[in-house]
Every structure is written in structure tokens, then in C-alpha cells.
Amino acid sequence: MSSSFNRRDFLKSASLATLGALAAGRPSLFAAGELEKIAPTADTVILLWMGGGMAHTETFDPKRYAPYVSGMDPNTVLSTFPSIPTSVDGVHFSQGLEKTAAVMDRATLIRTSLAAELGFILHSRHQYHWHTGYTPPQSVAAPHLGSIIARTLGPRDPAIPAFINIGQRFDLGESEELKAFTTAGFLGSEYGPFNIPFPHQAAEAVRPPGGMSPGRFENRDKFYRRLMEASPVGQHGSEHQRDSMVRAMDNAHRLLASPAAKAFDIALEPDASLRKYVPEGFDAKRLNSVKQNRDGDYEAGTIGRFGLGCLLARRLAEVGARFIEVTTEYIPFLNWDTHENGHSRLVNMKKMIDAPIAQLVLDLEERGLLDRTLVVLASEFSRDMMIEGREGSKLRNQSRVPDRIEDPKYYGMHRHFTEAGSVLMFGGGMKRGHVHGVTADERPCKSIKDPVILEDLHATIFRAMGIPANLAYEVEERPFYVTRDGLGKPVMSLFA
Amino acid sequence: MFRRLFPAAAVFGALIAIHPLGIAEALPPPVERPVDFEKDIKPLFEAACIKCHASGKAKGGFSLETRAAFLKGGDLGAGAIPGKSAESYVVELVAGVDPDEIMPKKGTRWTPEQVGLLRAWIDQDMPWPSHITFAKPPPENFHRREVKLAAGAELHPVDQLLQKYWTEKSVKAAPQVDDRTFARRAYLDLIGLLPTPAQLEVFLLDEAWDKRAKLVRTLLADRSNYADHWLTFWNDLLRNDYKGVGFIDGGRKQISNWLRQALVENKPYDQFVAELVNPQPESEGFARGIIWRGSVNASMLPPMQAAQSVSQVFLGVNIKCAACHDSFVSDWSLEDAYGLAAVYADEQLELVHCDKPTGKTAAMKFLYPELGGIDPKLPKAQRLDRLAGIMTSDANGRLARTVVNRLWARLMGRGIVEPLDDMEKPAWSRDLLDWLAEDLVAHKYDLKRTLEVIATSAAYQSAVVGAPREKEEYVFQGPFAKRLGAEQFCDALSQLTGDWTRQPSSLEFDFLVTGELQNVRLPEWIWTDEPVALGPQRDAVRAARGEMDASLKALEEARKSADAAISKGGAEIESARQQLASASAAIGKAQERLTAALTPPPALAPEAGKRHVLPPGDRHRLAFRKKFNLDAVPTEAYGTILASQTVQVHVNGQEAKPIQRDGFRNGRIMLLNLQPLLKVGANVVAIDVNSHTDKSMNDDEKKLFPASTMHLNAQSGIAFYMRGGAMEIVTDSSWRVRRNPEGTWKDAALVDAEWASATALPAGVTPVDEAPSLEPISRQDFSSLPVMLGPQLRPAVSIAAQPGRIRAALTAADPLQVALERPNREVIVPVRATAPTTIQALELTNGATLNERLQTAAVRAVAESGANPAGWLERLYVHGLSRKPTQAEAALAAEIIGSPMTSEGAADLLWAMVNLPEFQLIR
């Protein structure tokens, strides 16, 4: 017999593990190098997603303000809003974010978050990259950050799905692109997102099906169990499959019947508390019918949806959710995706986010949850009035900038900028009142000190959750690391 | 010591010149004991050397695969001199005498003790048992191998081989299942449907000794249901029916109709593979892969995707790692992956290592060079032909093994080799795998034959067994219970509820070509010859188009001869060049003529700066009518319309809204549910065609087709088909036509005599969807217009004519199917996840899709069976579980459906039934 060497044999143990995992129905950890044991500083992550590209100079990193003057030179425009002070001396935000500015003393602000260079800039590609840590396409289906956390840590409360995704619809533009990363990928759908496109309808997702009374629902379930017990078949051979099916049904039923499910029902929130999250004149009934247009004419109803999402996130964090993403919603050319009317649109976008962010932080703090809840606000890239990608890049410009601005629609940050971006973090073990990194005060307003690449940002989030950046799962007999090639390095200076 | 004269060792040479005894003194002493190669030396080599100097790799020219190779050494001279460790170069290297030349280059340095071991081994004359090599092992499961069965044995071949296997493993076969369990298993496994109570009854009453084999053969002979079931399996493997990114720029092409047809016809597998590897337009979607927007990682460029897919699906070889770097988990290298990708590349490929270009050009080769090479000088079409030939050659024993293993896994719940995509792993029974593979080859790659062989074995018919515990070695004892896949579940649900969709995911499925439908009268393409004023111009366009087509063909011919001439070289090149030049000139002329023909008369030219849209009421708006009488309204009537322009269908004055449309730009192929609009007596179909669209054109389009040219389209036409029971209404010249009709023309009362007769298009004229472009469809850009409607006619008609049901595999995924793990197929899915998940259970518990279907079915059940609830629930059990309910179950079920039976109760019982593990598992 030949005892010739084959490297595959080294993986024998891994393959055995795979088999076991197959039986258990989930991918196994890849036995790689040493994994650091990390004491987590957070139990829950709430990701506030500014989909569409949020300009740093218009939000958390204001530069010299150039008020609108007809005929102005676009090169002179770095910020279209004046700056305002925050609760931390010397740290300024852009006008319109007053409430968030008031809680800056609880925040860690990264001003130098770099977006990857992925060639021709497409939102969906950068969003995919931000959410999975990998550039699309991949030869295996890459899991979303939330799925990695769900797989690694599991739910905090078995009745609450470990990964809840609030505010994104999947039947609008680029929906397939969005679906491509809003998935557990190879980790398996058990760790996939529980999607709640409309927060005010969240309760429906965890209620008996339409038209069924709770009494009938309970009866149906009891009857189902009795029928199953009465079945003469299935006493041998496939107990495992049978048991796991019953367990899944139990989980679903537990969620639907659990007191925790009430957390999904925003209608149960006292009105006074709900009002803090939504603008004046908000009417949830109008949420489904409101149409947004590209001029930035936003009704209060639309604006309130993100606020409701933040409120829902708080309610879910209270009952033990693990990972929640709340998005302002990515719709091509809408919301943060300003290819024109950047200034006027941002007036509304700030109305959309300012109060809810601040209120979320204050509510979590009041409930004693902020210390163990990591809130992260981020976007796929930033924007600039002149520069596409980065300085000197040969990328095709995706919006027109005239030599002189004679129409307010050209006044705003309309091009995709990758050399700096603001990431705001609260709680979960991060410092308070801390600013990381410096960006230039003149165009290009790029990162000039302590830039943070995505791998390191992810590693920081993972570390807060107690997950080493070189953790890997096995797929097709090879490792898939939670940060690219396992190389992410947490930014230790952010931790308190 | 000739080695030291080599220039690369110059420093060394100098050192030695100065201090001839230095080296020996610098070396750790050899250990003073007999050294055993296997125990002492092999582990050292494995840990430090073989990554670069074995398994076919020989960095620095040095390989230690065998003792001889070790002695021979590398570029710097002999590796070792038996008996003289102090003079053996390899010892110096591992000892690190020269700090610039230390081995291993990466990783931990050898300890003096380890060097001492090596020295001792060399001094002891390098004993090396000849059976130990570090050579690349011969590929597993690769060479053809015949397995002899015991002569005269009556046992089924599979069972005969398993008997031997079980004896070796000292395990016992599981008992055989009863007929009901077998029937349910065979139906679901082979055609993906539950046996109906009637089918089950027939089978149970059959007293033939070989009734199980007969059933297997009958099921496999059900061509349509076989195809519609196995479509799911192949869609997963071939990434077909893909829903996902890549479509925006036409980056994906489906092969649904080709695939279904191949399954209906049971295309021999070798031919099936050849047509996917070296594709025709209908099957090219697989090898084309998915073309994503933006900058794509080199390892995901289309040629590399093709290489990955072809090797994974057909050969069970995963080269995804090797697409970026030499694999860490297998022996595949970057060169291997690029060698295969190069076959699919239009240009030379540069090797890119983890996104860093290496400057090296890929050398074209097949993964297993022993099967033959591919001449890189050949044009791509011939290379692909050659590749298909290699893949399906007699010598390739991997092709058949890979597919029989997949089929075995499908039926038994686990492969003979696992994972299914890594055929380099050993089989748990080599004999079984090889016999099945040889049997497939011997039966001309008939996959149904393999399924029949497996399904008629006692092994398949034995009781299900539990999965092995973690870390336990797998021993085959019987099939695993399998969970219904999304499509199986939805089909079974349709069977129980009697409610099937009529809406396929694509209108390209052709039920005619497969002979599944007969006596269908195809409609004719019709149009009008009026107005006469535009006739001559249209003729001119037609003529010019013909000329253009001819010159394009000539150019194609010229290209081919040029290719041939270039590969031959010599004088023929010059004549090929002339041929090319004259073909090009002819095209130029044809283009001029066409442009002239298409230039609209001044009256139709747009004013400068105006939108290129004709005013409403334009004379090119056409209406078609057809009257017919019905004695009775059929219970079902579906129709289809195909039109070159925007179209609406009205029946008896009411617009028929499409239930499905295949969209190119404006979706002018529609499937219509016409039954609700029909009435007894006089009926009329009225079709309204708008020969302009109301959209503005972009700049490119304006340049491409000046105003109105699209309305002069020589290739306009419509075709309509309706079937309801025996009634067929199809377009032909008996239809009436009129321009810009007014008033109640959609009404049956209108007198047809005032209308002209429609003109049937001449044979061979193919209408084109909004044919604006003069370019022929380019295969690289299939999504661009024009789209030929001709080939779409038969499929669209066949779908409307299809009296039956559309199986789930042919429908678009709904939330229920997605929750049940129907994948979007961005990546190849060899095995679907089957573990139940909470989110899936939630969808089953409160998802709208399932609950609405159950509700509808329950209402119908009450209406139809309210009088006999006991009969209904017994049928439900027999249909759903292939058995009658026990007394206890019947009592429970009766309790929930209520007395009298309520629709809520019926819905709740249906819900409980489809959620029972017994229902969802194939046991």
C-alpha cells in the first residue's frame, strides 16, 4: 500500500468535523491558528445604516461652510451647512444634527473610515463589501455581519431572532444586489436576517396569520402536536430530523406566543415616548402609501420610518436581540444617494436621523443598556462635490458639476468619495466623547491621520462582541474568515 | 564537491577556500543510533520540505519525491551523498551554515537534533522503503475500472456488491420497507410527486413479483414529470433559473428550455455535458457564468467561472481555491486553474495571484493532462470542441463516477464519495462506485438507467437509517430519510389542495418540441399590407435587410477561412485577406442601402429638438379582430399574444390582463387567462396594436434609428393563440384588420365586412420585438434588441395550450419556496440545506403564501366534501402520507375539522398535515 503523502489528509479531522456539522445542519468552525479569548464588552449590536452614501463634511465632520450664492465656484464648497458645537469641547457637527450633537459626550467618532477601492463605484458593491467584509462577487455566498454574529454567538433570547433587519424593502431598485449581501450565505438560513421592511408592521411578522384568532392559533398548534404524537410512523431512523423539525416549529411558536414578541409591536409604545422618535405630524397609516421623489420633498411620514425603526430596535434590544440593523433604506437616487439637490435633501435626511439617534442612545442609557449595547452608525462611502472615488482616480463621474453653480440643485455633495467617512459609535465598551482620526480641512477632505480600513472596523465590532478577527468557518473544505483573510485588527484605542 | 563550483554558491565557495574544514565543524553532529526513515525522517520532510519539493513541485529544481530524486538534487547540485552527511548540501541548508541559504525558507528552522537525525540517516546510507513516495498520488476515482460481478448470481448487482461490503464492515442490512412506503419514496424521489390515492391503490393491488421494478420503470418513463422534477436538481448544479445580480447589463443567460428538453428527451449524459462545455446558444448560459458589474476579482472573471463550474459540476473538482493561489487543501495549483480558464478565454490570460498580476501567461491545459492536451493555437470554438471531447472521452472515468455519485446521493441521502464535489476523496465502496459508473457508460450514459439500477436495489428499498454521530465513520447501512425540497413540498401541496399555478417563471419553456402536447394548431403571424403608401419603402427595407444578412454571412465565411488560413500559414493568408476585404465592402454597401431605405419621407421626419414620438392616433395604430361562437364556456381557457409592438388584447370588450409576461423591453409576449371573459354565443377577440411607444429615446437610440423608422419596420407582426377545451382560436388571414378604428370596434356586434383581411406574413419572416437596431443580435450582448419573436412562438403557444399544471420548478420562487431553501443559485448548489430553521418554521406557521393556499383549498373542500368529511380526511391521509389514518388520528382529525366541517377546521387540518415530519420527510 502506498503511503504517499497528500495534503488532503491533513484535513481529515476537519472533514470529520464537517460530517458532524452536516448532521447537525450547520457549518463548523475551521480549525485554524490560535484564537484569542476575548472578554466581550457588548452583547448586542445596533447598526444604523445610512444607505446611499452619507457625506462626512455634511454630517459629523463639517468643514468650511460656503453658503449658496448663485454663480459660486463649486471648488469652494466643502460643506453646505454651518457647523454647530457638540457636548464635547472642540468637536463640531453639521447643522441639523443638534440632538445627536448633545449626546456626543457618549460617543466615539471615527472620522477616518476609508471605503475600499472597488473600481467603478456602485452602491451595491460597496454595501456588499461593508456588510460582508468581502468584495463581490465571491465564489461562495458571503454572510452578512449580522449572520456571522448570529452564528457565532446565537440569540440572546431564544424567542428573538438573532439577526433582525429593519427598514429595507427588497422590491425596489437593485433589490437583487441588496439580497446578495442581506443573507447568511453559506452559514445557512438559520442565521439569516429576519426582515422587517416596515417597522410599524413588525408585529404582523410575529402574529398568527391574517384572520386567525389567537385562540384558534393556539388550538391549531395543540392539535398539530397531538396529531404528531398519534402518528405511528417515525419512531425510528429519523429521530434527528423529526426532532429538529419539531424544535424549529417550537421556536417559531415560542416567538409568536412569547411575551417578548410584544417588543415587535410598536403600537404598545406609549405615545409620548413614540413622539420622541418621529417628526411632527407623523402618521404611521401613511407610511405605505407615501412616495418619495428625487427632489427631496419628503413628507413627515417617510421621514418617520427610520425613527420608528430606531424605536423598534430599542424595544428589541431590551428583550434580548443580538444584532439589529436599522436602515434609512437604500433606494437608488433617493435618501442619502444624492446625485443632485444634495443640500436640500440633507436637510430632510438630518430630520430623519437626528432625533431618533439621540433618543435611542438616551433611552438605552436610561434603561442601563447602553454599556452593553454597541450602536454603530455607518455608510458605504462618503460624498464630495467634486471628487469621484479619491483624488486623481480615473473613475467616471456619476453626477454633473457645472463650472459655476447657478441652480441650487447642483449645491450639495453629489459624487462618491472613498477617502474618508464618519462612523459614529455609542456604548458597548467604546470610549465616551472620543474622536479618532483627522481629515484634511481643504479638498480633498481625506483622512490624514489614523485611517481605519473596513477590516479593522469590523474587527473592532467583533472584538466588542468577543469574537476574534481571525475566526473562520469552513466552507467547501476551506476557511472563510470573519474579516478578510483573518487580518482585521481592532482599533484598540477606541475601547474605554 | 563539484557543487561548490556553481556560481550561486560563490560565497560559499569563497568560505570554503578559506576554511576547508569549516563546514563539517559548523554542523551539528549526527545522532548515534539507527535511524528509521518512516519514523524519523518522513515527518521532518512532511513538516518542512514537501510543500515546495514534492507532489510534482520542485522549487530550485529539487524534488524529494523519491530517494532517486533526492540523490539527484537540484539546480545547485546533488542533494545528498550517501554515507557522507558532512558533504551533503541538503544538510548544510537545513543546518543554516550560510545565513542567506537556509531551508526551509519559511517556517521553523530545524533544531540541531533534527539536523543530527538527517545526518545520521545519510551516513547510514539513506534507507528509504520504496513504497514511500512524496509524489503526486494518482488521481482518485479517475481511471476506468471494470468491476466483475459473480457470474450467475441472481442478486441485484448493487446488492451483490453491498453484501460483500457489509460482510467486510460486519454490519447488517436494514429490513425492506412495505409497499406504501416504497411507493411514496419512489414517486417523490423519481418524479417529485406524491402518489395519488388511485395510483397507490393500483400499485398495492398489483400482484406481480416485480411490481416495484415495474413502478420504477413507469415513473422514469413519465417524461414530463421526470423532467420537471429533475429540473430542480440540474438548476441547482448548473446555476440555472438564477435570480440575482448580473442581469442589469445582460450578464446572465438562462438555459431553462434547453435543460428541460434535455431531461424530457433523456439526453445521453456525455452529450449533455458536451453541449454545456462547448455550448450552442441555447445552452451557453452555463459556461458564460454570471457577469457582474464593476471591477471583478480575477478569480471570478467569466473564463475562470467557466473553469470552476465545469470542473466542479462534471468532475467533482473544486478549483475555487486554485483560482487565486495554489490550493492549501488540495494539489490544484494556480496554473491548473488558469490552464483550464484559458480554454474559455478570448485572449491570453495573465496569471493573477490573489489579485496581484504575476506577469506570467496561462499555459492552456486540461486538469488531467493524461487525457490529452488542447492546442492553444486553435480558435476558441475548436478548443471548446476539444475540451468537450476530452471531458467525455472514454478514458475519463471521472465523468461517470461524479454523476452516478450525485444520483446515488439524491436517492440515498448521502454520496458514495463525500463531499459530492470532491471526487478526490475515497469512496466508501470503490467497487460500487466503479460498477455504477461503468454501467452508466455501458448504457450509453443513460441517467435513467442508473436511477433504475439504484431504485430497484434492495438497498434502496430498505428502511431509513439514522445519520452517523459526529466523528463517527460513515458506513452505508441504508438510505437516510430525506426532507422534501421546496419544489417537492409545493408540488405536494398543490396535489393536496388541487390548486396549481398557471404561471411559469419563463415563457420560454416549449412543451411542443418535446412531444408532450399534440394537435396544437400554431397561429400564423399576421399584419396588414396597408397603407399602400408605405409599401415600396417597406419593400426597400426588406430588400436591403436581405442584402445585409447575406453579406454578414459572407463575412462570417471569410472570417472562418481566415482563421483556417492563419493556422495553416502560407499563401492562403493573402487570399483570405482579399476575401475579408470584399466581404467588408459588401457590408458597407448594404449598410448604405439600408440607411437610405430607412430614411423616412420628409413628411415623417421630426422637427428639430422634438421628441421622437408619433402623435396619438398615428396611422400606424392597428386593430385586429376575430369573431367566434361558443356553445358553452370552457372551464379553462388560456391564451398568448406575441407582438412586435405594444399590444392589448380585449375579449368581448374587456381587456385581458396578462398573468405572465416575458419582458424584453416592453414585454410583448403575454400569457392571458381568458376564461372569465368568454360567454356563450358570439364572442370577439380584438387586438389593439400601437406601433409606437410613448417613451422618449436616449441619445444613442436617436442616432441609431431616426424618427419613424421603427414604424416602417419590415418585421412587424402579431400572433395570437387561445385554447379552451377543444376550442382553439389562432391568428390567420381570416382575421380582420383596420387602421385607427373608432367606436365600438371591440364589440362583437360590429360588422367585419368594413374591415380588410389581415395578411399572413410570408413563411420565414420572423417578427422582431421593436426592431430598432440594424445590427444582428450579438451573442456577447444577447439582451440587446432586437429580439426575434419567431423562436418564442411555439413555447408561448405551448404554455397556453398546456392543459395541465405548472410544476413548482418551472415557477418563480415565492417566499415559501425561499424559506424552504430554494436557492437563488448565485453559486452552484450541490446539496441544499435541509435542516429546519426557525425562520422557515415562521414562514410555515404564519406566512401568507401557505396560509392563503390552505384557506382556498379548505373552502373548496367544504364545498365539495362537506357532506362526507370522514371520506375527505381519509383521502387526505392516503394522498399526503400514503396511508390511512389510524383510528386515533381519524378521531383527532374529525375533531379539528368540526361537525359540520368548517373551512377553518379544514385549513387547520391541512396545515397540520403539511407540517407533520411524516409528510415532510421521504422515508
Side-chain angles (χ1 to χ4, degrees), chain A residues 125 189-190 207 231 241 477, chain B residues 295 425 481 821 837 846 918:
Chain A
R125 286 172 61 79
S189 51
E190 181 71 4
R207 231 177 235 155
S231 165
Q241 281 150 309
E477 307 176 82
Chain B
S295 335
K425 289 273 190 308
E821 308 280 2
T837 68
N846 80 340
E918 191 185 342

Side-chain angles (χ1 to χ4, degrees), chain A residues 202-386:
Chain A
E204 286 169 26
V206 293
R207 231 177 235 155
M212 191 177 285
S213 69
R216 179 179 158 203
F217 181 71
E218 277 303 311
N219 260 342
R220 185 178 81 164
D221 187 66
K222 278 200 196 98
F223 170 74
Y224 163 66
R225 279 155 210 282
R226 284 168 66 198
L227 207 56
M228 195 156 38
E229 276 154 29
S231 165
V233 179
Q235 306 305 325
H236 56 85
S238 60
E239 285 142 306
H240 169 73
Q241 281 150 309
R242 195 186 125 121
D243 291 352
S244 55
M245 285 171 68
V246 173
R247 201 161 45 239
M249 291 302 277
D250 284 346
N251 286 345
H253 194 261
R254 192 186 304 136
L255 171 58
L256 297 178
S258 129
K262 291 202 170 65
F264 285 86
D265 194 349
I266 284 185
L268 298 176
E269 184 76 12
D271 195 56
S273 151
L274 183 142
R275 292 283 149 208
K276 291 178 185 163
Y277 281 87
V278 294
E280 283 288 311
F282 170 77
D283 179 1
K285 286 194 200 88
R286 290 181 51 80
L287 271 182
N288 291 9
S289 60
V290 168
K291 291 221 165 78
Q292 287 161 289
N293 67 37
R294 290 171 70 163
D295 304 332
D297 175 20
Y298 282 29
E299 290 188 43
T302 311
I303 293 178
R305 193 159 140 228
F306 176 74
L308 281 192
C310 289
L311 173 60
L312 181 59
R314 189 214 79 203
R315 292 177 63 89
L316 292 169
E318 281 177 79
V319 295
R322 179 64 81 186
F323 182 95
I324 309 165
E325 176 162 348
V326 187
T327 173
T328 51
E329 192 168 40
Y330 173 65
I331 312 172
F333 304 112
L334 287 175
N335 293 343
W336 290 109
D337 191 14
T338 53
H339 286 247
E340 56 190 23
N341 288 308
H343 174 77
S344 59
R345 181 92 65 82
L346 256 60
V347 173
N348 285 311
M349 290 312 294
K350 289 172 180 176
K351 279 188 200 156
M352 189 191 281
I353 65 164
D354 185 38
I357 294 170
Q359 199 58 42
L360 174 65
V361 171
L362 294 173
D363 277 6
L364 288 172
E365 188 174 62
E366 187 187 315
R367 286 159 176 76
L369 296 171
L370 188 59
D371 285 347
R372 300 292 294 180
T373 304
L374 176 61
V375 179
V376 180
L377 176 146
S379 186
E380 67 264 33
F381 44 66
S382 183
R383 287 179 177 273
D384 181 76
M385 186 173 262
M386 305 301 298

Side-chain angles (χ1 to χ4, degrees), chain A residues 5 7 11 118-119 125 137 139 189-190 205 207 216 220 223-224 226 231 233 237 241 245 476-478, chain B residues 50 245 292 295 318 320-321 327 329 422 425 466 481 821 837-838 845-846 892 896 908 915 918 920 923:
Chain A
F5 176 79
R7 257 177 293 145
L11 294 172
L118 304 179
R125 286 172 61 79
S139 60
S189 51
E190 181 71 4
R207 231 177 235 155
R216 179 179 158 203
R220 185 178 81 164
F223 170 74
Y224 163 66
R226 284 168 66 198
S231 165
V233 179
Q241 281 150 309
M245 285 171 68
E476 296 179 9
E477 307 176 82
R478 56 192 174 128
Chain B
I50 51 148
V245 300
W292 280 276
S295 335
N318 188 331
K320 288 179 184 175
C321 299
S327 173
V329 295
D422 188 356
K425 289 273 190 308
E821 308 280 2
T837 68
T838 308
T845 304
N846 80 340
L892 265 170
I896 193 86
D908 288 354
N915 280 297
E918 191 185 342
Q920 289 189 19
R923 309 190 62 260

Side-chain angles (χ1 to χ4, degrees), chain A residues 1-8 10-11 13 15-17 19-26 30 118-120 122 124-125 128 135-141 158 161 163 174 176-180 188-194 204-212 216-217 219-221 223-224 226-228 230-238 240-242 244-253 255-256 396 476-479, chain B residues 38 42 46 50-51 55 57 131-135 137 243-246 248 292-297 300 308 312 318 320-321 327-332 414 418-419 422 424-425 463-468 470-474 480-483 819 821 824 826-828 835-839 841-842 844-847 851 855 877 883 886 888-889 892-893 895-896 903-905 907-909 911-913 915-918 920-921 923:
Chain A
M1 204 187 104
S2 159
S3 78
S4 70
F5 176 79
N6 180 334
R7 257 177 293 145
R8 268 172 234 111
F10 273 171
L11 294 172
S13 54
S15 301
L16 275 174
L19 236 179
L22 266 176
R26 58 189 215 173
F30 192 88
L118 304 179
F120 180 54
L122 295 164
S124 50
R125 286 172 61 79
Y128 182 111
T135 52
Q138 290 289 318
S139 60
V140 297
F163 170 15
E174 294 182 37
E176 293 301 338
E177 281 76 0
L178 291 168
K179 283 182 203 162
S189 51
E190 181 71 4
Y191 310 103
F194 187 72
E204 286 169 26
V206 293
R207 231 177 235 155
M212 191 177 285
R216 179 179 158 203
F217 181 71
N219 260 342
R220 185 178 81 164
D221 187 66
F223 170 74
Y224 163 66
R226 284 168 66 198
L227 207 56
M228 195 156 38
S231 165
V233 179
Q235 306 305 325
H236 56 85
S238 60
H240 169 73
Q241 281 150 309
R242 195 186 125 121
S244 55
M245 285 171 68
V246 173
R247 201 161 45 239
M249 291 302 277
D250 284 346
N251 286 345
H253 194 261
L255 171 58
L256 297 178
R396 176 160 71 82
E476 296 179 9
E477 307 176 82
R478 56 192 174 128
Chain B
E38 196 155 2
K42 186 166 163 267
E46 283 173 356
I50 51 148
K51 210 172 158 188
S55 290
K57 285 174 212 150
H131 71 271
I132 298 177
T133 89
F134 298 102
K243 296 284 180 292
V245 300
I248 293 179
W292 280 276
R293 291 176 88 192
S295 335
V296 169
N297 183 323
M300 292 300 280
Q308 290 174 6
Q312 180 180 351
N318 188 331
K320 288 179 184 175
C321 299
S327 173
F328 304 130
V329 295
S330 69
D331 291 325
W332 298 110
R414 190 193 187 278
E418 283 280 340
D422 188 356
E424 292 280 327
K425 289 273 190 308
V464 293
V465 299
E470 209 157 326
K471 308 227 162 162
E472 205 173 66
E473 188 200 345
Y474 173 77
F480 289 163
K482 303 171 293 280
R483 188 147 177 238
E821 308 280 2
N824 82 341
E826 185 172 321
V827 295
I828 289 165
T837 68
T838 308
I839 285 176
L842 267 174
L844 287 166
T845 304
N846 80 340
N851 279 290
Q855 211 59 48
Y877 260 82
R883 66 174 178 87
T886 62
E889 286 172 323
L892 265 170
E895 191 188 317
I896 193 86
S903 67
E904 290 193 350
D908 288 354
L909 178 61
W911 178 83
M913 165 67 70
N915 280 297
L916 284 177
E918 191 185 342
Q920 289 189 19
L921 292 174
R923 309 190 62 260

